[in-house]
Amino acid sequence: MKIKLLIAVFFLTKIVVAQSYKEVKGGLLPERACFDVGYYDLHLTINPDEKTIKGHNVITFKVVKATKKIQIDLFKNLDIDSVVFENKKLSYERKFDAFFIDFPFELELNKNYSVAVYYGGKPRTNIGVRSTDGFHWKTHNKLPLVGVACQIVGASVWYPCKEYLGDEPDSVRLHWTVPVQLQCISNGKLEKVESSPIAGYKTSHWVVRNPINSYNVTIYLGDYQKVSGVYINASGRHSMEYYFLKKNDKSTKEAEKEKFYVQMGLTFVAFCEKMFGEYAFWNDKLAVVETVYDGMEHQSCVAVGSLRENPMGYAYAEDVNLHGTLIHELAHEWWGNAVSSSDMGDMWLHEGFATYTEYLFIEQMYGKKTYEAEISKMYENALSGLGGNVYKAQTDKILAPRNVYSNQVFGMQGQIYWAGAHFLHALRKEINNDTVFFDILRTFYERYKKKTVLTENFLQIVNEKTNKDWTQYFKNGLE
């Protein structure tokens, strides 16, 4: 009896701790719900030799409920030096991958405040359900090649922030102090580059003038070659930038591939603007960066693992000559970056929509018959677990639990990517009117760009445009 009692107490303790972690990580506790983030001013020194980061983030926020305490998120392996408010250090309590700041007085409703968090350490690498999140420390041309991706585990893996998808900063400034021999690429526009007091280092200053997911903030360091393509639309002449990893012995074939994929990106952007609406971040930029990891939709500077090869993990890669990662990550500029889910449980709005956009592009380039064949093959592969990196769907659920920032959502690849795309394909067939269906997609984008949404927002537009209640259809197809 005593042993059984101890076991019962142990498991009860484990359950309580796990639940508490989920509440802190993904939920809206009072200390997180009491403020809206307005602005991040992130300063960071990155040392590739030591694989360390050190700096501070000034977080400006508006109080929406009077409080004396707020929650900020930062992985527990990173050290906090101090938290400064109005030139005074504040006390704080660390709990899991977050910390709770105590203010000396009650913060007033509707008033803006700023708090600076000084921190540093060795950020984690190769974590998350795919073991691809965190910092990547590699070399290229005998120089450091550095990148960071964190969609699955969250931006607090490398900088202090409010880890809640429903609250994006309206703008950010980024100040990266890095070795002088490395090219530095980041979100938004480069304002200036200055020499640093640290010998052999420089500081690049960037500004993002649009709302941005916290996990979309990023930096690329390496030996890059920049290629620009010209894009012209109704609003003017724009530059689309490509950053290829520099090759000293580039072959003619590789150079031709670079040109081909540059043109493919321009063609795809024109397609998305025609189908959904104008790219939302021209006032920042549009860039594609070759990286050490597979790909990531970093806003205004999407990451692609290789810009010279067509990745064969895509179900259609053997049949149509499209760069799957390139067009998928660019599609996220519409679905995920401009229109952003406010909860990890609704990530199919990012991944399902972006994946379906790939297949709409196939239809545009190769015709309806090819589209039908490829999307059927994609779904069959997802269900069976075939097709290289096309992961098997573990359940038929596309929506995941809310208020849980869980990286297990991305273990549901078959659901949020391919089943999500197939749901949109099936919805299109059920509506049986392409004019109405594509008006739904365009309205969803135009109404909610630079905003955060839930599935209910999309359902509302479907109901509105078809004059029919699709609630049960969505429930059957997504839940």
Side-chain angles (χ1 to χ4, degrees), residues 250-265:
K250 183 165 46 177
S251 67
T252 302
K253 186 177 181 180
E254 287 174 324
E256 289 174 352
K257 281 187 176 180
E258 288 181 6
K259 292 179 182 178
F260 177 75
Y261 290 132
V262 167
Q263 186 56 50
M264 182 185 296

Side-chain angles (χ1 to χ4, degrees), residues 8 53 71 110 126 160 171 178 230 242 309 317 346 419 434 442:
I53 59 176
Q71 174 186 338
N110 295 325
N126 301 320
S171 61
V178 302
V230 176
Y242 290 77
E309 298 296 333
D346 294 69
D434 274 0
R442 190 176 187 91

